Amino acid sequence: MNHRGACACDNDTGDGAGVKTSIPHNLYSKELMFGGVRLPAAGKYATGIIYCDEKTSSEVEVEFAQLALELNLKVIAWRTVPTNKDAIGVVARKSEPLSRQVFIECPSDLDQKIFDRQIYVLRKRSSHELIKEGRRFYICSLCSKTIVYKGLFTSDQLWGYYTDLKNPDFETYLALVHTRFSTNTFPSWERAHPLRVIAHNGEINTLRGNVNLMKAREGVMQSEIFGDQLTKLYPVVEPNLSDSGSFDCVLEFLTMASERSLPEAVMTMVPEAWQNDKTMPQEKRDFYQWASCVMEPWDGPALISFTDGRYIGAVLDRNGLRPSRFYVTRENILVMASEVGVYDIDASQIVLKSRLKPGRMLLVDTKEKKFIQDVEIKTHIARSRPHSEWLQQKITIDEIRNANFATASDELKSTNLLRNYPFDPRLLLFGYTTETINMLLVPMFNDKKEALGSMGNDAPLACLSAFQPLLYDYFKQLFAQVTNPPIDPFREKVVMSMQSPIGPEANLLQPSVKQVHRIWLQNPILSIPDTNVLKSNIHRGWKTKVLDLTYEFEKGVRGYVDCIDDICRQGFDAASSGYQLLVISDRNAGRGRVPVSALAALGALHHFLIETLQRMKVGIIVETAEAREVHHICVLLGYGADAICPYLAFELAQALRDDCVINSDVNNKQIYNAYAKAIEMGVAKVMAKMGISTLQSYKSAQIFEAVGIGEELISKCFRGTASRIGGITLETVAKEAIERYNMAFGDRLFDTRILRNPGNYHWRNGGEAHINEPAAIASLQEATLNKNWNSFEAFKSTTLDSVRKCTLRGQLELVTDQNKVDISEVEPASEIVKRFVTGAMSFGSISLEAHQTLAITMNRIGGKSNTGEGGENSERYLEKDSTNSRRSAIKQIASGRFGVTAAYLANADDLQIKMAQGAKPGEGGELPGYKVTKEIAKTRHSVPGVGLISPPPHHDIYSIEDLAELIYDLKCSNPKARISVKLVSEVGVGVVASGVAKGKAEHIVISGHDGGTGASSWTGIKHAGLPWELGVAETHQVLVLNNLRSRVIIQADGQLRTGFDVVVAALLGADEFGFSTAPLIVMGCTMMRKCHLNTCPVGIATQDPVLRQKFTGKPEHVVNFFFMLAEDIRNIMAELGIRRFQDLIGRTDLLQVSRKGSSKSNSLNFSLLLKNALELRPGTNIVGGSIPQDFQLEKRADYKLIQMAQNVLDGVEDNTTIKLLINNEERAFGSTLSYHIACKYGENGLPREKSIDIFLEGSAGQSFCAFLSSGVNVTLKGDANDYVGKGLCGGSVVIMPPDNSTFESHLNVIVGNVCLYGATKGTAYFRGIAAERFCVRNSGATAVVEGVGDHGCEYMTGGIVVILGLTGRNFAAGMSGGIAYIYDTDGSFKNKVNLESVSLFPLEHESDVQLVKSLLNDFVRKTNSQIAKEVCLNWNESQPKFVKVFPYEYQKVLKNLEIKQGYSEESESVNEIIKVKEKQKEPAIKDIEETLKNNSSEQPLDKIRGFIKYKRDLNIYRKASERQEDWDEVYNFQYIRKHLKTQAARCMECGVPFCQSNTHGCPLGNIIPKWNDLVFNNDWQEALRQLLQTNNFPEFTGRVCPAPCEGACVLGISELPVTIKNIECAIIDHAFEQGWMKPEIPKLRTGKRVAIVGSGPSGLAAASQLNRAGHFVTVFERNDRPGGLLQYGIPTMKLSKAVVKRRIALMADEGIEFRINAYVGRDIKASGLLEQYDALLLTTGSTSPRDLNLNNRDLNGIHFAMEFLESQQKKQLGGKNDIICAKDKHVIIIGGGDTGCDCMATALRQGAKSITTFEILPEPPKNRGNDNPWPQWPKVFRVDYGHEEVRVKFGNDPRQYCTTTKELIEENGTVTALKTIQVEWNKQPNGQWSMSEVKGSEKYYPADLVLLAMGFLGPEKSLPTEIGLELDARGNIKSTNGSFGTSNPKVFAAGDCRRGQSLVVWAITEGRQAARQIDTYLMNVPSSLPGPGGIIDITRNV
Ligand code: SF4
Ligand code: SF4
C-alpha cells in the first residue's frame, strides 16, 4: 500500500505511518524482565511511547513521574524503544525523536475503569503541563489496552524501524495500520497516525468552528465522573493539532468524560445524512436530531477507524467520500482497508466481501469476538434513551409565533418600512448600490436564486478600494481542492442540510431532555416579523437581550471602537445572567446614529463569549441592514451568527414590489420565501465548495481567508483567520463607515438623484478601477491589429494604472538600482514566448473559431494552448499542418471528464488535471442542451441537445491519494506527456502543492481568484479564491523548503496583461504564464460579460452560428500580442540586468514595496510575499522540472503486456491471449497498452478483426482497465478497487469472483467506487456489487452489474446500464442521457432515484426487452452470474420488476431525431413529461432570457437577443423635402418615440460599456446602459434620474451632440450601433412634457458668490452645479440672450430656441442670475469681478475663427460662418438686425463639420441658388479604415441633415473633397467666384500625412456668398490678459492648478477657452467638473458634487 502514502524529496521519507495494536504483554514482560522490572498482569498497567529528545528526556521523565504521583499513580519503568535508524529516510532521521516507553502500574485497590480515567487525566495534564520551550514531549498513546507505534515513515519502513514489531513475542488481537499522505499540514513524527483513539483517512473541513465551540462548551460542561478535575482536562483540544488530532481529543474526551460509548460518540461527531433520508427509521432519525442539539457534526470526507482496545470499528462520512472495503473470513477475521488485496486469503475462505456505505459504521467486539453490523449498533444506541420523547420538547418557530400571537400576527407591524426607494439614506449608509439591487437582489426576489456573471473579477481588492467597501468584502471563501472534494449541492442535496438548532446548549456530558431545549430553525434567515417576535419573546421562560449596534455620530471613530467593546460587555452580562438569545441590531441606525459593522461586532462578541466561556449559553441573532448578499450571510454564519434578519433587503423588496420592479402580486411572506430560498441555495453552494454539507457545521467554522485586514482587527473579531498581508484596523473600518454616513446624511448632498453605483461588477466611468476598462481594451486591440507600438505603450500605461489600483502586485515595483544590460544580450523573445500558454477555455464556452485561433497561435509561437475541459476533436489533433495546426498541446482532464479517450490522452504534450478554476473554485458548471451543438457533442462524446453538467471538481478525486492515482493513470496513459495539476490560490496552497508534487505532478498551475472566463454566480466570481501573487509565492517557498521545487514547473495564471505582471510572477516564483482574457480581447472580446447568455456579439463566447460569423480574430493578432509582451519583458529584464529568463525566477530581491498608494494600501505588509525562498533552504535547486519525477513505469505489468501483444500491435498477428496474475500494486492496468494502440491506430482502437484477450486472477489495483481501447478484452477472476474502467473507450472488462469462491456474488462487493467514470465506449460486466458512484458521466459504455451504491449513473449522458439488484440513494442525479434498467427486486428503487431529470417506466417495449435480454444472456455467458440466470429463466416474473430510467432531455432529443420506433406507448407520457419539465424550466430561462412586451405591436420584445433581432432605426429626421420648407426642428419625434423601446432593446448592457467611457464614448459618462434598460422597462422617471445624475442638459446633447457614445458602442463593431442620443432626448423631453422638470431651489446657501463669464454650455453647466451646491451664481453674457453657442451658434432646425429658453428660465427660477449684454473684458473689468466675487470662472468659449489667408479676403460677400448663423438666429428671434442672406446666391462654404452643415441648411432655407462646400481632406471611406479601429470615432462618410437637404433640393451632395481655395475673384469689391485646386494626401515614412497640389486641377466656382467654417483658434485674449492668466501654446487658458484652476487661485477656466474647440458635450463636462473644483476651493472640503459618471466622492479633493 505504499502507493497510498507520500514520499518526501529524498524519495525515502514517508508522510507518516503507524500501527495501533493491543498491548503485547509477553514481549514487554520479557523486555522489562531484563531490566529487573516485573510487569503486573496484562491490563493492570498502562503503557505508551513518548517522543522526547536526548537532552531533556530525563527531566521530563522525572516531572512525568511526579505528576503521576499526584494522581496516585506510579511509574514503574521506562524503556527506550528499540529502533533501527537505517530503516528510514534522511529527512525523517533529521527530526527523529527519542522514543521512550513508560509503564504505569494500576494500584491494586483501583477499579480498572477508574485507573483508565486517571491515566487519561495523566495524559491530558502532562500534555498541558510538561510541554515547554525547547523540549520535545509528545505522548503517542497511554493506555492499558493498546499501544501506538508510529513515525515519519513509509508504510513498509514502520516494521523495519520498530524492531518490537518484528519480535515473535509481539502478539495482538487487533491492528490498526495507517499510512499518511499529508496535504493540509506538514508531515511530522507527531502527526503520523494512528492517534490515541483513531486513525483517519480524510479531512475535517469544519475544524475551526468545531474547536472554537468545544472551547466554548467548557463554560457549560459538568462531569459527574471527573467532578472538579474536569477543568484539568481543559482545553479539550490541545493547541496546534491537526484536524485528526483535534477530532481524536474530542472523541477520547466524550468517551472518558461522558457516559457515551465509543460508537455513540462517533455517531454524534460523524452523523449520517439523516435530514433528507426518507428510508431511515424514525428512532434513528430522532437520535440524530437529538444528537445534533448536543453537538454540531465534524464535517468532511472521512474514513475514521477507531479502537479503544475492546471495540475496533470504522465510520464513513455521510457522503461516502473515502473507500473502505472489507472481507470476513471463515476464521472470523475481519480485514478492512482502503483497498482490497492487502491481505492474501484463499477465495474459498471468504464469507463476505463488502464495503462501508456512506455514513455507516462497522464494529467488532474483540471481547465477544463478534462482528456488529451498522443497523444493530445504531438501533441499540437509538433505543438507549427516549430520544423521540425528548424531541417533543424542542422549540419551533411556529410555537414561538403562536405563543406571541398578539405581536406576531400582523406583519405590517414591521417597523421602519422603506418607502422612498431609492432615497432611503440607509441604502447609502449600508453601501447598497444600483448593482446590489439590480444584479444581486432583484434576481433573488424574482427567481429565488442568485444571478450569474462571467469573465472573472477584475475590480480592486477591498483593501485597495476607494469606495468604502463593507468589511465582508475583505473575506475570501475557502474551497476544497485536492485534500477533499467539493460537493454538488444541487444534484447531491440528499446530503445537504440547512437546518440548525439555536440557543443555549445544555451540558454535553450529561445526555438528557435539556439538550433539545433549543429553537429548531429550517434555515438561518429570519423574517422581519419573526425577528420582532423573538426580540420580545418570553415563551418557556426565555429572555432576549437586544444589543444596539449604533452609536452617536459625534463620538466619531473612537465611538465606533467603544461601541463594539460595549456590545461585548453587554453580551457577556446578558449571557451570564440568564438570557437565552442576544439580538445584535442596527435598527437604530439613522440620522445621528452611526451603525458599527454587524460583522465586526458579531465576530468580537462571539470570540469574547468563547473566551469567557459564555458562548454556549446564548444564541446570537444578527438583525442588520448591512447583510443582503449570499456572501454576507456566509461570513456572518462563519463568524458566529445563529440566525440573520437582513431587514433592509426585505424592506427594499417590498418597495420594489410597490414600484413594480419585481412582481407586484407577491406578499411579504412570498418575498421572504423567495429570498430565503435564494440564500439557502447560495449558502449551500458556498458550503459545498468546501465539502461541507450541514449548515450546523458551517456555522462558526470561519472558512475564510482575509485579505488586507490587520492583525489587531483579526485577533479582536476574527481570531484564527489567516490574513497574510496585514492591513486595515478597526479605525479604518470606522472611518469608512463614517464616510458612508456622511454621504447618507451629510447636509451638502445636493445632487444625489440615484443610488451610488461605483461599478464593482461592471465598469462604470468615474467608479472603481477595473483591469479591463475601455481605454486598455481599445489600445490592446489597436496595438495587436497593426503591431502599433504607440498603442501598446498606451495599453501598458492604462493597464499598469489599473493594476496599481486593483491588485497586490500593483503595490510592488521593480528595484531600479541594478546594473542594466544591453537589450541585445537578453534572451530573445522567441524563447520567452515558449513560456506562455493560453488558459483552459473550452470549446463550448467559446466558439470553435476562437478556440482554434488560440491553438494556431500557440503552435506558431511554440507556446501551448489548452483544450479546456471540453476536449478537442480528433480531427484537430491528428492533422499535420505545421503552420495552421489546430491541436491544443495541453489536454485538460476535468471533473466532467468530457470524452477523455486513450487517443485524446495519447495526443497531448501536457495532461492537465483541473482541480479548481479561478473564476469559481470549488464549483462545477453546466453546458445547457441548447449549446450542445453537433460539433460539441462529437467532441465530448455526447448527444447534441443533451445538456452536460460538470460536477464540482473533482468528482473522482476525494483526496490527495486519488489525485496521485489520477496523475499516475495519466502518466501510464501517455508516458511522454507532462502531468499538470491546476490549483487556485488560497491559504495553504503551498502545502497542497507540495503534496501534489509528492503525488508526482510535473507541473502545477496556480490560478488567481480574478481570472476565469466561465459563467458562475456572482458570489463565486467575487468572493472565492485569493490573488495569485499570494499563491505563487507560497507555492514556490513551500516547494523550496521541501526541496521539491526542482521536480515541478509552476505556472501563474490570472489577469496577466503586461510585462510587469509576468516579471512579478516570475520573481515570486513562476516559470510559465497563462493568459486568457488578454488573448480574447485581442481576438475582439469587449468584456461585455454576457458569456453565459450565448449572445457574444463578436462571436467568441457563443455557439450561435449567426454570431460566430462575426468573429474576426486572427492568429496573427494574438501572435503580435505575445511577441509585444515578450519584448516588454525583455526591456524590463535589461533594466534589471538579467539576461536569461530563468534567472528572474524567485528573485524577490528585485521587488520592493511601492508606498505610493492610499493609507489603506500602505498598511499592507508584503514581507511574507517577498521572502526569498532560498533563505528558507539555502542551496536548493530551484530550476523547475530539472529533476524528473520517478513514476517507476518500467516496473509495470503493462510493459510485459505490450511485449506479449507486440505482434498484434505490429499487425503480425490478429489475436493473442495472455494470462497473468495481478495484485493491487498493479494500477492502471491496460492503460499503457491502450496508449500504444491509440498511437498506432488512433481513436477507434484496434481494427475490428484484431483482439488482445487477457485473463487475470487476483485483486487488481486502482484504475483497472482505465482508458481501455477497443480490441482489448480483459477478464479478471477476483476483485478490483476504485476506478475500474475509468474512461473506458471501447475495450471490454469482465470481473467475476474466483471459481472457488462460495459467497453469493450479488450480495458481495466486487469493484470499488467511481467505476466507469467518464466511459465513452465499450462494455463492462461485473458479477457482484459496485460501490458508490457507478457509471458517473458515462457517455457511451454498456454495463451490467449486480448492484450499485449511492449516486449511481450520476451526470450520465449516454450508454446503457443494467443493474440486477439494489441501488444506493440518489440514483440518476443529473443524468441527462443514456438509459438504465434496474431490476428492482424489493420495490425500493423509486425512493432512491433522484427524479429531477429522469422519469421511470416499466420495461415493456419490445426493443427494450430485447436489449435487456440480450445483455443478460451475454452477461451470463461471460460471468456465469446466478442472479442473471435466474432472471432469464423466470423472465415472466422478472420482467415486471425492471424499471427503465429514462432522462427527460434524452427523450426529447430522441423524439426530435424521430427515433420513435419502440417508444409509442411512452410517447404520451414523454410528451407530458416534456411539457411539465418545460414549464418547470421556464423560470430558469427567465433569469437570462427575459421577454417583454412591445407596447406598439404587443409582440414580445427580446432584450437578450434584441441586438440580433432588431435593426437600428435610421429615420430620425422628417422628410428632407418637407423640413427644408420651415425652420422647425428637423427631428421626427413621433416616429422616434414609437420605436424607442425596440431600439432600447438592442442595448446589451455591457459589462464594460464603451459608450459610457469618456476615452472614446460619452464625455459626461452618461449611464447609458442603465437608462436604456429603464426606458425598455418603461421606467421613465428613474431613467430621468439616471440621466440627470450625469448631464445637466440632455435636451441639448440629445439634439446637437454628434454622439461619440454611438461611435464607441460595442454593437458598432459589426453593425449599426445602439440608438443612444434619441433615447436621451426622449427622456428629457418627456420629463418636461410631464411636468417633472421643476426648479430645484437649493435648501442651503453658502453665502459664497461665483461669477461665470460666458453662458455657453460650459458656463451653464457650471452655473447649474454651483447653484445646486448653494453658492450664489451670476452668469455674464455679452450677447442679448444667454446661451452662447446654443442660442446663436446652432440653428433652430437643430435646437429650437424655445428649448434653450425653457432651460434658462428654469435655471433662473432656481436662483441663478443672468446678466446679458455684459461684455466682461471690454465693458466690465474682470479685475472688478475678482474683487466682488469669491471665485471667477471663465467659460468664454473658443471664439476666434480661423481665417482664410488669401488676397481679397476683405471682399464683400465673405463672412465667418458664425456671423452668418448668428444674424439668422437673431432675426428669427425678432431682432432688428440685417441678416447675411443667401437668397438667390451661389453659396460656397469653406470647411466641413457641423458648422458647415448648419450653414448649408440655413442657406438652403434662405433660398440659395446653389450650395457647395470645400473640404480639404479626402472623402472619408464608407467603412472604418485599419488606422481607425473601433472604438475610435468612426471617420466614415456620413450624410447629415444639411447634406441630405441639399441633395434633395439640388440633386447632388454639396461636398467637394480635397479642394483648397487658391484665389478669391471679385467684381466691384464683391466676391464673384473662387478658384480652387485639388490636393492629394500622402503618408510619409514617419507616419505623417503630407499634402500636395495636383497640377492642372484648377477649377472655378461661381460664388456670391462665401462662408468660412474652418474652426476656431482659441478664446479672445483680452480678458485673460487683463487678469494675467497664462495661455498655453495653442492660445487657450492654461490650467496650472488642478484641472480647471489657473495661475490665479480665484480664477478657473472651463470649456473651449481652456480645452480648445470641442463638442458641446465636452463643454458641459468641463463645466460640471470645474464646478466641483470651485466648490472644493470655496468650502475647503472635498466637493460632494458628482464627479465623472455622476459618482459622488466626498473623500477626495478634486
Ligand atoms: S451626451 Fe452625447 S455622447 Fe453622451 S450620451 Fe448623449 S449623445 Fe452620447
Ligand atoms: S449602448 Fe452599446 S456599448 Fe453601451 S451598453 Fe448598450 S450595447 Fe453596450
Side-chain angles (χ1 to χ4, degrees), residues 1546-1550 1553-1555 1568-1569 1572 1608-1611 1618 1620:
R1546 296 181 78 233
C1547 175
M1548 294 171 277
E1549 288 186 80
C1550 302
F1554 281 76
C1555 57
I1568 297 161
N1572 272 353
C1609 169
V1610 166
L1611 216 49
V1618 169
I1620 299 173

Side-chain angles (χ1 to χ4, degrees), residues 1258 1438 1562:
S1438 313
C1562 177

Side-chain angles (χ1 to χ4, degrees), residues 742-753:
N742 282 330
M743 272 185 288
F745 295 105
D747 50 10
R748 299 203 71 243
L749 287 163
F750 12 69
D751 197 13
T752 310
R753 291 156 199 280

Side-chain angles (χ1 to χ4, degrees), residues 291-453:
S292 70
C293 294
V294 172
M295 181 187 252
E296 72 294 336
W298 289 57
D299 200 356
L303 169 62
I304 293 169
S305 42
F306 51 86
T307 180
D308 58 4
R310 173 178 172 178
Y311 294 103
I312 178 164
V315 69
L316 193 58
D317 65 82
R318 62 203 275 126
N319 209 10
L321 294 170
R322 290 287 184 270
S324 163
R325 307 274 294 271
F326 61 88
Y327 295 170
V328 179
T329 72
R330 292 189 189 286
E331 287 177 300
N332 212 18
I333 294 175
L334 179 134
V335 182
M336 193 204 82
S338 299
E339 294 186 12
V340 289
V342 296
Y343 185 73
D344 296 328
I345 315 166
D346 186 87
S348 63
Q349 296 303 304
I350 297 172
V351 294
L352 177 66
K353 283 188 176 185
S354 192
R355 96 286 187 195
L356 258 187
K357 293 182 190 169
R360 302 298 169 83
M361 193 185 289
L362 168 75
L363 199 66
V364 173
D365 183 344
T366 57
K367 195 169 163 197
E368 300 290 332
K369 301 192 188 325
K370 205 174 135 201
F371 169 50
I372 314 170
Q373 292 273 20
D374 179 84
V375 178
E376 192 183 336
I377 318 164
K378 290 182 178 168
T379 306
H380 174 75
I381 292 168
R383 290 178 183 168
S384 63
R385 302 181 204 100
H387 303 114
S388 306
E389 201 184 305
W390 289 351
L391 267 188
Q392 301 305 316
Q393 294 200 31
K394 75 174 186 296
I395 308 168
T396 63
I397 197 80
D398 268 342
E399 184 184 331
I400 295 177
R401 277 182 207 138
N402 291 338
N404 295 275
F405 183 72
T407 47
S409 59
D410 186 358
E411 66 178 40
L412 292 177
K413 285 186 182 163
S414 311
T415 51
N416 210 11
L417 276 179
L418 184 150
R419 294 227 179 266
N420 57 343
Y421 159 80
F423 300 108
D424 188 316
R426 293 175 305 161
L427 294 172
L428 251 179
L429 180 64
F430 289 103
Y432 276 64
T433 66
T434 314
E435 285 179 337
T436 313
I437 297 172
N438 293 328
M439 294 174 68
L440 305 179
L441 291 177
V442 167
M444 290 204 249
F445 298 131
N446 277 340
D447 307 327
K448 305 186 184 139
K449 61 184 179 195
E450 266 193 287
L452 302 179

Side-chain angles (χ1 to χ4, degrees), residues 1558-1589:
N1558 59 10
T1559 318
H1560 295 102
C1562 177
L1564 283 164
N1566 273 349
I1567 311 165
I1568 297 161
K1570 191 73 221 149
W1571 40 256
N1572 272 353
D1573 186 53
L1574 289 160
V1575 166
F1576 177 77
N1577 285 307
N1578 276 334
D1579 190 348
W1580 289 79
Q1581 268 188 316
E1582 178 60 16
L1584 177 71
R1585 285 195 286 266
Q1586 293 281 342
L1587 184 54
L1588 294 181
Q1589 185 68 32

Side-chain angles (χ1 to χ4, degrees), residues 1555 1561-1566 1568 1571 1591 1597-1598 1601-1606 1620-1621 1624 1961:
C1555 57
C1562 177
L1564 283 164
N1566 273 349
I1568 297 161
W1571 40 256
N1591 189 352
T1597 50
C1601 182
C1605 53
E1606 294 184 7
I1620 299 173
K1621 183 171 130 174
E1624 179 180 16
V1961 61

